[in-house]
Amino acid sequence: MDKLLCDELVQEIFQRLPPSTSSSVSLVSKRWLYLYRTSKTSLSLRLTPHDYTIPSLSSLLSHYPFLSSLSLLLPPDPTTTKSTTFADHLLLLVSSFCPQLHSLRFLAGPVSLSSLTSLSTACTQLTYLCINLSRPLFLMWILNFPSLKELSILVCCGEGLEQAVDVNTEYGFCADDDSDAELGLESLCLSGIGADDWGLGWLWRSCRKLKKLQFRSCEGIGDGGSFSSFARCLQGVQEVELRTCRTIIDGVLVKLAENCDSLTSLLVYDGGSREGLLRFFSQSHCNLQKLDLRLPLDLKNDHLLAVAMNFRSLSSLKLQSCCLVSGEGLRALGAAVSSGLEELALVNCDVVEREPGLLSTLGQNFRQLRKLDLSYNEMLMDKELASMLVSCNYLVDLRLRGCKGLTNAAMVSVFKSCKYLENVDIIRCCGIQAEAIEFFVMNSPQLRQVQVEQSKISDAAKTWASRKFIEAVA
């Protein structure tokens, strides 16, 4: 039986197997083990900083010659120094054994320029790279990756300025901050940039094709405290994310308002500026369509009123833990963008519980909603949810995770009002019992996925879900 199928067909079958069962086929025979390995195009590994790691990884990678996507993670060890030597050895192994890589996520410690040069020579098809770098920042090595479209850099402590300068000189790179180039990067993510970091001015001037820009836990933009070069990369940017970046948010938002009319999506989490946000919402000329904010102490009604006045094309609004917002701001926003909003999230927003009747008004305004997330509003009651759902008949995705006040009656309301529902999340809804879930699963014609505790799924519900290809996720 093993020899009836040709190698190519067996490999095609292996590629279509779900991840949870695919590895077991390698136990059937040596031939299947070989074919399984050669059929793998994606691999994710979590490493340990031991002496045997390098030879073990070398042996492992030699068995997977056709990898196009590789992720290597080495958790940080506080008892060891952040030397680049170990990470360099690992990266050189990747260069040697994985020449067909298109995507590499390498979070095994900071790497040197020499190992990046070897990587660029071996893996000429790389389009995505996620890497650790040490201070100070010299980034002209990016020129050696002409196919690179997505770059993610996580900055950690370096080994000294003199060493970095010597290495750049040795490999023919000039750190002249006045020079620039034209890179093909379309997506850039920077994490851990410090207030005094420099070296990114060249990068900002060279990124003229950026579509997506992300900052995470950054205290600066790597341009010596200046935003002059940064503004050069903003024309054409469509998505911006700022996570835990309170010290730079004012400067970034000002430059976005002044230089970026193409922005369609903005995310700001955990650290904002009331003045900077209000200035951006009032002065920006972009056609913003997606707004995602998690700002417990920085978002107020005047911000929502400015959004209502200036961004009437919003299709997605997500608010998390915005405790200073009231129903007045949400109602004004609802009236302004009612015709186009397709996605609404009010996660852990106590205004949902504080103002009875608010959800009913929002439901009447947002009749075209396709996705609704009211997760972690613990005191949300059945009546309030039902009053909104009765107007939202086109929902396909509903998330109620952590809404402890809901009971079985909520599922009846969902069933009656949401005939097109495909996905529902009711994990940690302790008031919703197994019989209500069974009723809902067996009577929802479009349902494709339900997220709920396994203990609440009856045998009858499991059988029905299996027949109708409904996925139950715990």
Side-chain angles (χ1 to χ4, degrees):
M1 181 66 182
D2 182 31
K3 298 180 180 180
L4 292 179
L5 302 177
C6 65
D7 290 353
E8 292 77 8
L9 184 55
V10 175
Q11 289 174 323
E12 182 71 20
I13 294 172
F14 289 169
Q15 291 177 354
R16 296 175 182 270
L17 291 176
S20 59
T21 60
S22 60
S23 59
S24 61
V25 301
S26 63
L27 305 176
V28 175
S29 66
K30 290 184 177 180
R31 175 177 176 246
W32 278 32
L33 173 60
Y34 170 78
L35 294 177
Y36 168 73
R37 287 171 169 173
T38 55
S39 70
K40 288 282 287 185
T41 59
S42 178
L43 195 62
S44 181
L45 302 172
R46 187 180 180 92
L47 308 177
T48 54
H50 297 297
D51 293 338
Y52 57 76
T53 298
I54 291 177
S56 298
L57 181 63
S58 175
S59 175
L60 179 67
L61 292 180
S62 67
H63 293 298
Y64 295 89
F66 300 112
L67 290 178
S68 61
S69 177
L70 177 63
S71 175
L72 295 181
L73 174 63
L74 181 65
D77 186 350
T79 63
T80 61
T81 59
K82 294 183 178 180
S83 170
T84 63
T85 305
F86 188 78
D88 281 346
H89 283 308
L90 296 176
L91 190 58
L92 289 173
L93 287 179
V94 173
S95 303
S96 301
F97 290 102
C98 306
Q100 299 187 41
L101 280 183
H102 289 257
S103 173
L104 174 61
R105 182 173 178 262
F106 188 89
L107 300 179
V111 295
S112 67
L113 182 58
S114 59
S115 60
L116 285 170
T117 302
S118 299
L119 180 68
S120 67
T121 302
C123 302
T124 59
Q125 304 176 66
L126 268 183
T127 59
Y128 170 80
L129 177 62
C130 178
I131 203 83
N132 284 123
L133 292 181
S134 57
R135 294 184 173 94
L137 302 174
F138 292 90
L139 300 175
M140 287 189 175
W141 54 266
I142 301 173
L143 290 169
N144 283 341
F145 294 86
S147 300
L148 203 61
K149 299 298 182 184
E150 300 179 63
L151 175 62
S152 181
I153 296 174
L154 290 81
V155 180
C156 52
C157 294
E159 297 181 345
L161 176 60
E162 294 181 359
Q163 179 181 358
V165 171
D166 290 342
V167 171
N168 277 272
T169 304
E170 177 183 353
Y171 288 91
F173 292 106
C174 175
D176 180 7
D177 202 43
D178 292 328
S179 63
D180 56 9
E182 184 162 352
L183 301 175
L185 289 178
E186 297 178 358
S187 176
L188 178 63
C189 178
L190 299 174
S191 302
I193 304 295
D196 299 324
D197 283 336
W198 57 275
L200 268 71
W202 169 84
L203 181 63
W204 298 132
R205 294 192 301 275
S206 301
C207 289
R208 302 168 192 170
K209 299 180 179 179
L210 276 186
K211 303 296 183 184
K212 183 174 183 178
L213 179 60
Q214 299 170 281
F215 290 99
R216 299 181 179 183
S217 302
C218 291
E219 299 177 353
I221 62 167
D223 197 12
S226 170
F227 283 80
S228 57
S229 297
F230 174 69
R232 298 268 296 273
C233 76
L234 295 179
Q235 292 185 3
V237 169
Q238 299 173 0
E239 300 179 52
V240 171
E241 295 185 6
L242 297 160
R243 301 174 187 262
T244 321
C245 297
R246 182 176 293 274
T247 57
I248 66 170
I249 189 171
D250 266 352
V252 172
L253 291 177
V254 166
K255 293 302 179 183
L256 285 173
E258 295 174 350
N259 300 278
C260 187
D261 293 341
S262 55
L263 190 68
T264 60
S265 177
L266 176 65
L267 179 149
V268 183
Y269 278 7
D270 304 329
S273 160
R274 293 184 183 180
E275 296 77 13
L277 285 167
L278 186 59
R279 189 183 305 114
F280 173 80
F281 291 150
S282 302
Q283 298 178 5
S284 176
H285 299 292
C286 68
N287 183 28
L288 198 65
Q289 297 176 20
K290 296 181 179 181
L291 183 60
D292 190 346
L293 304 173
R294 186 171 69 196
L295 301 168
L297 300 176
D298 296 301
L299 192 73
K300 301 180 71 175
N301 278 348
D302 50 354
H303 297 102
L304 296 186
L305 295 175
V307 171
M309 291 291 294
N310 206 26
F311 302 120
R312 296 178 179 269
S313 298
L314 273 185
S315 62
S316 174
L317 175 65
K318 298 180 180 180
L319 304 180
Q320 299 185 49
S321 305
C322 299
C323 58
L324 300 182
V325 170
S326 74
E328 177 188 357
L330 288 172
R331 289 187 181 94
L333 186 58
V337 302
S338 58
S339 60
L341 201 72
E342 297 182 354
E343 181 175 15
L344 175 66
L346 298 173
V347 177
N348 190 29
C349 291
D350 56 359
V351 65
V352 172
E353 307 160 4
R354 193 172 62 236
E355 299 195 22
L358 174 62
L359 290 184
S360 176
T361 301
L362 294 180
Q364 294 171 29
N365 285 329
F366 301 138
R367 292 180 180 272
Q368 303 303 314
L369 273 185
R370 305 276 290 170
K371 297 181 179 181
L372 176 62
D373 189 348
L374 298 173
S375 298
Y376 298 107
N377 291 295
E378 295 188 355
M379 300 307 295
L380 175 63
M381 298 290 107
D382 297 334
K383 182 180 178 181
E384 289 295 314
L385 177 65
S387 69
M388 182 176 191
L389 295 184
V390 72
S391 302
C392 300
N393 303 133
Y394 299 102
L395 284 179
V396 297
D397 190 291
L398 178 61
R399 301 182 182 276
L400 302 169
R401 177 176 296 217
C403 294
K404 299 179 180 180
L406 297 180
T407 69
N408 292 348
M411 299 310 297
V412 176
S413 298
V414 173
F415 162 72
K416 290 181 177 179
S417 300
C418 305
K419 298 298 184 181
Y420 301 101
L421 201 62
E422 297 177 5
N423 306 298
V424 62
D425 183 348
I426 46 176
I427 288 178
R428 300 176 190 168
C429 295
C430 51
I432 299 177
Q433 304 301 321
E435 57 268 24
I437 296 171
E438 178 181 311
F439 167 81
F440 179 73
V441 169
M442 298 182 69
N443 291 278
S444 299
Q446 303 297 323
L447 192 64
R448 290 296 172 263
Q449 183 183 84
V450 55
Q451 298 185 54
V452 65
E453 293 85 352
Q454 287 291 333
S455 60
K456 293 185 179 181
I457 306 178
S458 66
D459 291 339
K462 290 179 181 178
T463 301
W464 185 264
S466 176
R467 290 176 181 174
K468 295 298 182 178
F469 303 102
I470 299 172
E471 182 182 12
V473 181

